[in-house]
Amino acid sequence: MRRSSVFFFLFFAIGWGLAQNESRIVIGLQAEPVALDPAQLSDYNSSRAAMPMFEGLVRFKDGSTELEPALAESWEVSEDGLTYTFTMREGVTFHDGTPVDAEAAKFSFERQIDPEHPYHDTGEFAYAEFTLGMIDSVEVQDPMTLQVTLENPFAPFLSNLAMHAASLVSPAALEQYGRDFAQNPVGTGPYRFVSWQRGTELVLERNPDYWRGAPEVERLVYRPIVEDQARLAALESGEIDFTVNLPVDDLPRLREDPAFRFEEQAGMHTWYLVFNVKKEPFDDPLVRKAVAHAIDRQAIVEALLGGTGELAQNLLPPVVWSYTEDVEQYPYDPERAQELLAEAGYPDGFEVEFWIPQSGSGMQQPVAMGTVIQDFLSRVGITANIQQFEWGTYLDRVIVPEDQAESVPAMFEMSWVGDNGDPDNFLYILLSGDQFPANGFNLGYYNNPEVDEILRTARQTTDQEARIPLYEEAQRLLMADLPIVPVDHEAQIVVMDSSIEGFTPHPTGVFRFETVRLAQ
Amino acid sequence: MGPYLLQRLLVTVPTLFGVSVLVFLTLHLAPGDPAQVILGPKATETSLADLRRDLGLDRPIPVQYGRWLAGVVTGDWGRSIQLKTAVLPLVWTHFKATLILSAAAMLFAAGSGILLGVLSAVRAGKLLDRAAIVTTLVGYSLPAFFLGLLLQLAFGLWLGWFPVTGMYQPEGGGVLDLLAHLVLPAVTLAAGIGALIARMTRATMMEVLSQDYVRTANAKGLKRVSVVFRHAFRNAFIPILTILGLQVGYILGGAVLVEEVFGWPGVGTLAVNAILARDFPLVQGVTLLVALAYVLANLVTDLLYTLVDPRISYA
């Protein structure tokens, strides 16, 4: 190719780029969004792309998981904690111009949880049961008043209503598109859908009628770039303006570069080791504690994760309210580990199965972390035999009902990403005796009646102030008995062009661009 | 010619059938449940069972295969389990991107490979030949992903001549935009094959150039260019054409890696994600289309022989 022609189309391309460049942010995603229907979101790439278009009755405040009114202006909760009455915000419309009212809210919920609903077959609702499953009935009292009745009192319900699946969708759009609503999303959010070329780009534009005021940045373009190294190259060459999950080794260099701005926050995430407490030797808390003391978790966080995680002192991440560090600590202390092992009757250690996935959402570097843990354990005489699985297979093999507990290994890796910012979403689901699979995610079958009683009371108490001491007590009891070893809380590290101002990461991992401006 | 073409096209059908049965069985025998992958770790047992029923995964495998096959024949390739959209348009969009990349790489590989091979045969043992040997050795030995990173660094980040990812500018379009984005990935994908073709061309050309009729042509006083290209190269081209035909498979396979490195929206990334997600209909769709392309490319190669060498005929 002649050099002159190279330059010719480069000028053309640059000219084109400049002409298009007014007030636009190009976001590099780690993978193609799967679907843009808020009721069908179950991965970060989809929720990051879709959530600027949607809102629920309530929303998480910027930068936190505290709640504030959104499409409901106000609400009342009955004394018994069973009935929630919402007053809808006046004058809000969906992007297609249809009004947002109590009917639309009822439609958005019942479509997911009522198998008889005419639009129930418009998708697979992975989070419906989790988010809205506790609803007994939804009544429209008048066009702007919605009454939701629960089967049992459930304190985190309002927080659930701020989750993706509880977002309001336009009934008219669902009628029009059916199953293809996931490709033609219509909500009420600060941005609205323009176009989506699979694999290439998704384009959103600002909603000029947004009830909180139209955002400053006019257009958002999402590009899937799977390879981390390629996404880094795209950021450095200016092809994208904003991304996450860049290679750890490159972060220090980018931090030095004034062309980029960093925003970080410890996420609503915990990476932990699960013990199958139905199996020897982990039915003995002494052995579990020995494992915790044997692993230098600080070294894993610093050396292996390169500071992209924060050492976990507790199963609950620090961004979730009621978090406390006033719990038993397990610093790296191999001698203490050996003493505990001797006390438990294993002076020469033991041999144990240790399962790890090859990759997986929230699992960070499962293989490297597993190998390092194996090495630390070998130093106190514990031989951990690693077995690796592909992620889908892994989930199949470790999420099994109690009657098949024998098939689950004595020790394995897992991680949890919080959904609604409520402590119940970690402590109850991951460690309550009511939550063995398939009910919940207590994969090691830990069962402590004292803890269960506290967690049950806490989830039925609507007063948040009264719930805090209950969760603090639960954390103390759990960390003293140690059914799992928390290792780290992954940080969200967002890197963007330095012209982007006013961006704050959100604990849920979604990107909020409505508060962002571009410096001239 | 007519009966031969018909026969070849008919053979395509059992080939594709065999491919689809193999892929179907492999996917279904491998562990991992698509319902679990779609709904994630937080799914309840009821929703998993519902989804398996919706997707027809609770049926016996022959029934699932039969349904799928009936659909394909009638133009309904099913819906992607993971991406929740119709398979055929999805695969076709991505496949077009792969075709563009592969075709550009093939053109570049053939053009540069043949030119380099011929020059190096003509100048055998001279500096140009030695330089060409080293270049092709390097080109052939460098893994595509590494070469891709080097090119990105040099021509994208340092020199800023070419974009490093994607197929178009954001919200862009047009042929020039596409060409600018095509250069680096196409060169990366072409390097290995171009080097192979260059070495192949050099070897066959050396052989042909030493034959009597070439000496005769030279003795007659024909121009060097005419001897090399009209007389010698035409005979050397048949084995090169065979290599080109065989490389179509390699290009389509290599495209997967190159697409990842350059964020090219081709069928490779789509296929990898589909396999990881146990997205049966999508994997089936991709495989079928790629197999079809491979079979057709080989057919075209065989037909090209008749054009290059009149002695070959399929009558």
Side-chain angles (χ1 to χ4, degrees):
Chain A
M1 189 177 302
R2 287 210 313 268
R3 179 177 285 189
S4 59
S5 60
V6 172
F7 284 116
F8 171 73
F9 66 66
L10 276 175
F11 279 123
F12 186 90
I14 291 164
W16 175 263
L18 287 178
Q20 294 284 310
N21 210 14
E22 84 282 353
S23 186
R24 179 180 73 187
I25 297 179
V26 183
I27 300 124
L29 292 176
Q30 285 173 278
E32 170 80 348
V34 165
L36 302 175
D37 174 356
Q40 299 191 63
L41 304 176
S42 56
D43 67 287
Y44 271 138
N45 295 296
S46 302
S47 61
R48 282 169 174 161
M51 285 317 288
M53 295 182 275
F54 292 97
E55 289 166 309
L57 296 176
V58 296
R59 75 196 284 277
F60 295 123
K61 288 182 181 169
D62 288 336
S64 90
T65 53
E66 283 177 54
L67 299 174
E68 63 184 3
L71 297 178
E73 219 162 38
S74 61
W75 55 84
E76 276 169 27
V77 186
S78 66
E79 285 275 318
D80 59 5
L82 283 174
T83 311
Y84 289 67
T85 310
F86 297 91
T87 306
M88 304 294 294
R89 190 175 296 278
E90 295 280 348
V92 183
T93 55
F94 287 106
H95 300 150
D96 59 6
T98 55
V100 174
D101 54 16
E103 277 299 342
K106 179 179 159 78
F107 177 97
S108 301
F109 295 168
E110 288 189 340
R111 163 191 177 225
Q112 299 175 60
I113 52 174
D114 175 8
E116 306 301 318
H117 194 270
Y119 292 91
H120 184 65
D121 62 354
T122 49
E124 286 91 37
F125 308 118
Y127 271 79
E129 192 56 36
F130 185 91
T131 314
L132 306 167
M134 62 298 294
I135 294 179
D136 181 49
S137 67
V138 185
E139 303 290 334
V140 174
Q141 290 197 321
D142 65 62
M144 298 314 267
T145 310
L146 181 79
Q147 194 179 72
V148 180
T149 312
L150 306 186
E151 286 167 351
N152 295 299
F154 179 62
F157 181 63
L158 270 182
S159 296
N160 277 17
L161 290 186
M163 287 170 57
H164 311 328
S167 299
L168 267 54
V169 294
S170 158
L174 260 153
E175 212 166 290
Q176 185 183 347
Y177 296 113
R179 285 187 80 92
D180 290 329
F181 179 82
Q183 276 84 247
N184 298 276
V186 179
T188 61
Y191 286 89
R192 63 187 182 193
F193 180 73
V194 177
S195 66
W196 187 14
Q197 273 178 281
R198 289 269 186 181
T200 305
E201 63 182 17
L202 164 72
V203 183
L204 309 185
E205 67 179 0
R206 70 175 166 196
N207 170 9
D209 306 320
Y210 186 49
W211 60 275
R212 284 152 55 96
E216 281 208 19
V217 175
E218 286 162 43
R219 287 171 99 80
L220 303 177
V221 177
Y222 293 85
R223 285 186 48 194
I225 306 179
V226 178
E227 198 49 44
D228 291 347
Q229 206 68 45
R231 217 165 44 255
L232 172 68
L235 180 75
E236 291 197 270
S237 66
E239 288 166 32
I240 59 174
D241 308 312
F242 185 103
T243 194
V244 287
N245 287 70
L246 291 175
V248 173
D249 295 342
D250 290 286
L251 293 178
R253 182 170 58 80
L254 291 182
R255 279 181 208 276
E256 301 283 301
D257 191 335
F260 303 111
R261 184 194 300 279
F262 274 70
E263 291 293 343
E264 311 178 34
Q265 189 185 52
M268 207 155 55
H269 163 274
T270 305
W271 194 106
Y272 56 102
L273 283 180
V274 186
F275 297 120
N276 180 351
V277 300
K278 296 256 173 202
K279 273 191 176 171
E280 283 188 2
F282 295 129
D283 53 345
D284 184 345
L286 290 177
V287 182
R288 306 197 288 255
K289 293 178 182 195
V291 167
H293 278 299
I295 304 168
D296 189 350
R297 294 173 295 150
Q298 186 68 43
I300 292 178
V301 169
E302 282 172 12
L304 193 61
L305 300 176
T308 58
E310 187 179 307
L311 177 67
Q313 312 281 8
N314 193 335
L315 174 63
L316 206 60
V319 285
V320 177
W321 57 266
S322 83
Y323 170 81
T324 173
E325 283 182 13
D326 178 22
V327 293
E328 194 168 334
Q329 300 290 326
Y330 299 90
Y332 178 51
D333 188 347
E335 281 163 20
R336 177 81 189 120
Q338 273 163 331
E339 284 168 26
L340 287 166
L341 284 177
E343 200 179 321
Y346 299 94
D348 303 319
F350 53 84
E351 198 167 329
V352 70
E353 287 172 279
F354 180 25
W355 283 9
I356 63 180
Q358 287 162 351
S359 64
S361 142
M363 293 306 300
Q364 301 177 287
Q365 300 179 42
V367 178
M369 291 166 85
T371 319
V372 170
I373 288 170
Q374 178 189 41
D375 182 52
F376 279 123
L377 293 180
S378 73
R379 298 180 199 186
V380 297
I382 302 174
T383 309
N385 298 316
I386 287 187
Q387 203 174 340
Q388 278 190 41
F389 294 87
E390 183 271 322
W391 180 234
T393 315
Y394 188 78
L395 293 178
D396 273 356
R397 304 283 293 266
V398 300
I399 308 178
V400 300
E402 189 188 3
D403 56 357
Q404 298 159 35
E406 203 40 48
S407 73
V408 176
M411 186 171 84
F412 56 98
E413 298 180 347
M414 194 39 74
S415 73
W416 183 257
V417 179
D419 301 288
N420 58 11
D422 195 287
D424 177 82
N425 183 244
F426 276 83
L427 301 174
Y428 181 78
I429 289 180
L430 301 182
L431 292 172
S432 142
D434 306 340
Q435 293 286 299
F436 293 171
N439 292 328
F441 212 66
N442 183 350
L443 305 184
Y445 315 101
Y446 178 71
N447 194 348
N448 181 336
E450 192 185 357
V451 172
D452 287 357
E453 188 52 42
I454 296 174
L455 292 177
R456 262 184 237 125
T457 312
R459 75 184 336 227
Q460 296 185 351
T461 307
T462 32
D463 175 15
Q464 182 164 328
E465 289 305 314
R467 294 175 71 202
I468 293 175
L470 292 170
Y471 285 122
E472 286 175 347
E473 181 59 17
Q475 290 171 65
R476 274 188 286 274
L477 291 170
L478 287 169
M479 286 306 287
D481 207 23
L482 209 68
I484 54 110
V485 178
V487 174
D488 84 302
H489 308 293
E490 186 177 22
Q492 265 194 82
I493 302 184
V494 187
V495 188
M496 65 199 90
D497 191 276
S498 56
S499 65
I500 299 175
E501 291 177 350
F503 179 84
T504 318
H506 196 268
T508 55
V510 298
F511 301 146
R512 289 187 172 179
F513 289 106
E514 59 266 34
T515 55
V516 164
R517 314 181 271 112
L518 294 179
Q520 290 307 312
Chain B
M1 189 72 189
Y4 173 76
L5 194 63
L6 191 68
Q7 186 199 342
R8 282 292 300 264
L9 285 175
L10 282 178
V11 171
T12 306
V13 177
T15 310
L16 293 180
F17 179 75
V19 168
S20 72
V21 170
L22 261 181
V23 173
F24 203 86
L25 283 181
T26 319
L27 277 174
H28 281 79
L29 294 179
D33 172 6
Q36 181 80 66
V37 177
I38 295 167
L39 297 183
K42 299 179 183 182
T44 61
E45 203 47 50
T46 345
S47 53
L48 285 173
D50 283 352
L51 181 56
R52 283 188 204 113
R53 199 180 50 244
D54 287 353
L55 299 174
L57 296 171
D58 54 345
R59 301 301 188 91
I61 288 179
V63 175
Q64 291 187 42
Y65 181 76
R67 279 183 170 189
W68 176 79
L69 192 64
V72 168
V73 174
T74 55
D76 172 13
W77 290 33
R79 264 182 100 79
S80 156
I81 298 178
Q82 191 197 19
L83 299 177
K84 302 173 203 300
T85 183
V87 165
L88 190 54
L90 185 68
V91 175
W92 181 239
T93 317
H94 284 75
F95 190 67
K96 272 190 295 187
T98 300
L99 272 188
I100 291 174
L101 175 60
S102 306
M106 206 59 177
L107 277 178
F108 182 75
S112 61
I114 290 173
L115 193 69
L116 202 62
V118 170
L119 286 178
S120 140
V122 173
R123 296 243 175 271
K126 306 261 172 57
L127 185 65
L128 179 81
D129 182 33
R130 288 187 191 163
I133 288 177
V134 174
T135 312
T136 52
L137 194 64
V138 171
Y140 196 66
S141 323
L142 266 188
F145 69 90
F146 184 64
L147 178 64
L149 289 179
L150 288 185
L151 292 179
Q152 278 182 335
L153 197 62
F155 294 99
L157 296 184
W158 291 345
L159 295 172
W161 288 0
F162 300 106
V164 292
T165 55
M167 195 166 163
Y168 294 105
Q169 295 263 343
E171 303 186 66
V175 178
L176 291 177
D177 190 21
L178 173 63
L179 284 178
H181 281 80
L182 194 53
V183 174
L184 296 185
V187 170
T188 306
L189 184 55
I193 300 155
L196 184 71
I197 291 169
R199 308 196 73 160
M200 189 76 196
T201 309
R202 178 180 181 273
T204 48
M205 276 299 281
M206 297 267 286
E207 201 184 315
V208 174
L209 284 173
S210 67
Q211 286 182 9
D212 290 346
Y213 79 94
V214 175
R215 197 171 55 226
T216 311
N218 276 326
K220 268 180 17 186
L222 289 180
K223 279 188 186 158
R224 186 72 174 148
V225 177
S226 165
V227 172
V228 169
F229 283 98
R230 284 194 52 197
H231 294 257
F233 180 68
R234 197 148 176 184
N235 278 323
F237 192 54
I238 302 263
I240 297 170
L241 195 60
T242 310
I243 292 287
L244 280 176
L246 289 175
Q247 292 306 314
V248 171
Y250 176 88
I251 284 249
L252 288 173
V256 175
L257 269 183
V258 175
E259 282 169 7
E260 290 272 317
V261 172
F262 288 95
W264 190 266
V267 85
T269 317
L270 189 71
V272 172
N273 286 333
I275 292 167
L276 288 178
R278 299 281 180 277
D279 191 341
F280 301 132
L282 189 52
V283 179
Q284 288 283 94
V286 172
T287 324
L288 200 64
L289 206 59
V290 173
L292 186 67
Y294 189 65
V295 171
L296 288 182
N298 280 318
L299 178 60
V300 170
T301 315
D302 286 350
L303 294 180
L304 280 180
Y305 287 152
T306 60
L307 292 181
V308 178
D309 188 344
R311 286 172 303 181
I312 300 175
S313 118
Y314 301 117

